[in-house]
Amino acid sequence: MKIISTIDELRDQLRGQLRTAFVPTMGNLHEGHLSLMRLARRHGDPVVASIFVNRLQFGPNEDFDKYPRTFQADVEKLEKEGVYVLFAPTEKDLYPEPQEYRVLPPNDLGNILEGEFRPAMFPGVCTVVTKLFSCVQPRVAVFGKKDYQQLMIIRNMARQLAMPTEIIGAETFRAEDGLALSSRNGYLNAEERAEAPFLYQTLNDVAEQTRGLQTDLVALEQEAMNRLAARGWKPDYVSIRKRMNLQAPTREEHLAGEPLVVLTAAKLGNTRLIDNLEI
């Protein structure tokens, strides 16, 4: 595996490649990330991964400085997966001058759910992904469904901006107890880690009641938040939305069988976890 930090060297290395499959990450790789590499290989060749902790998507009181950085271990894992190139730019490599041009998602998708609680996130994600796509010029790029709203925003962005990159969504990789794998899981202490699967249990409970055509979805959402709070969680939201655009369904749409997804974000101790489940 070739490790490259500069844009010029990356472009030289990939010149002439027409089937590149790309997996952007922020490092601290776990089995969920590695499953993305395997999926990428099924859709293209060579496989290119990136590791870059993107300051633009972190708010002023978020965990940019303490975000786990495990570069050498990440390199070893990617080598075992047969990744062709690891693009690992420094901030100076990717942002050699202040990044004054930004890519903004539409308000009706970018300012809800995660966008409401982390307003810097999606402008930062859209900007860095656009720049990484410009550097790598992949035919396909793989993103995990755990970040459901992010996947939708990136997919819509690529389509509307006519990017020559197909966006592939990968199913959420879970531990045996149901907890969605995340780099931030490493922040959990032993007691919190034992409690963490309750978030996924809550999603399953909400999904089951929604499939049963329980029509007061707002009440379902509030009941789920109350259950989390009663166990010591600090929920930001539990929200049932339409898969197509993440807007709230009407009662008529729900009863007509509109495909839905339930999404949640909640703090356990000092660790904020997100998850979702399609209904």
Side-chain angles (χ1 to χ4, degrees):
M1 182 177 72
K2 194 171 183 65
I3 302 173
I4 293 173
S5 62
T6 70
I7 295 172
D8 287 345
E9 186 181 358
L10 178 71
R11 287 176 170 159
D12 287 343
Q13 184 69 31
L14 296 178
R15 186 166 286 116
Q17 298 285 2
L18 301 178
R19 298 184 62 249
T20 300
F22 179 43
V23 184
T25 83
M26 293 203 300
N28 192 227
L29 304 183
H30 50 65
E31 189 60 30
H33 292 109
L34 302 183
S35 71
L36 303 185
M37 309 298 163
R38 296 167 200 144
L39 181 59
R41 179 168 289 103
R42 297 205 295 271
H43 289 271
D45 181 63
V47 175
V48 175
S50 67
I51 293 177
F52 182 70
V53 183
N54 178 41
R55 187 186 298 271
L56 297 185
Q57 70 194 67
F58 288 80
N61 298 314
E62 295 179 352
D63 59 344
F64 175 79
D65 289 326
K66 70 171 186 174
Y67 193 86
R69 292 161 171 84
T70 54
F71 186 75
Q72 192 52 49
D74 293 345
V75 166
E76 293 170 6
K77 291 173 183 176
L78 294 176
E79 286 177 334
K80 289 179 182 177
E81 292 299 328
V83 169
Y84 175 63
V85 166
L86 169 59
F87 181 44
T90 65
E91 285 193 284
K92 192 67 175 175
D93 290 319
L94 201 60
Y95 302 131
E97 58 185 284
Q99 188 66 37
E100 296 168 337
Y101 286 83
R102 304 293 178 97
V103 181
L104 304 179
N107 289 338
D108 62 353
L109 184 55
N111 289 351
I112 62 174
L113 302 169
E114 284 299 281
E116 178 183 349
F117 290 92
R118 300 186 61 199
M121 182 178 174
F122 292 127
V125 165
C126 290
T127 300
V128 76
V129 168
T130 298
K131 195 157 192 178
L132 288 169
F133 282 5
S134 177
C135 297
V136 177
Q137 299 189 10
R139 189 184 71 82
V140 300
V142 179
F143 295 83
K145 279 189 177 181
K146 185 180 80 70
D147 297 288
Y148 200 93
Q149 186 176 6
Q150 172 179 279
L151 171 62
M152 179 176 287
I153 285 173
I154 291 171
R155 181 173 277 150
N156 291 355
M157 178 184 76
R159 183 185 68 251
Q160 289 195 13
L161 296 181
M163 294 177 172
T165 301
E166 177 187 357
I167 307 301
I168 296 172
E171 295 300 326
T172 301
F173 201 99
R174 299 184 181 277
E176 290 185 5
D177 59 11
L179 178 65
L181 296 196
S182 168
S183 297
R184 289 185 169 95
N185 292 353
Y187 297 155
L188 300 169
N189 62 34
E191 182 180 350
E192 291 165 347
R193 177 60 186 83
E195 168 65 19
F198 186 72
L199 194 65
Y200 185 51
Q201 294 172 31
T202 300
L203 290 178
N204 277 281
D205 290 344
V206 172
E208 183 176 350
Q209 293 180 73
T210 304
R211 292 188 194 103
L213 296 184
Q214 161 64 263
T215 56
D216 192 345
L217 300 185
V218 174
L220 274 183
E221 296 167 347
Q222 189 58 54
E223 288 169 10
M225 294 194 42
N226 291 343
R227 287 200 302 272
L228 286 166
R231 295 173 66 106
W233 294 75
K234 297 176 182 176
D236 285 340
Y237 58 85
V238 176
S239 193
I240 301 163
R241 300 296 177 103
K242 294 187 286 188
R243 291 188 210 174
M244 64 179 293
N245 59 13
L246 295 187
Q247 300 302 304
T250 64
R251 181 177 182 274
E252 290 73 23
E253 288 172 331
H254 175 214
L255 294 176
E258 177 74 31
L260 304 176
V261 58
V262 55
L263 308 101
T264 185
K267 269 192 171 183
L268 183 57
N270 294 318
T271 304
R272 188 174 184 272
L273 301 177
I274 68 169
D275 204 348
N276 66 81
L277 184 64
E278 291 182 330
I279 302 172

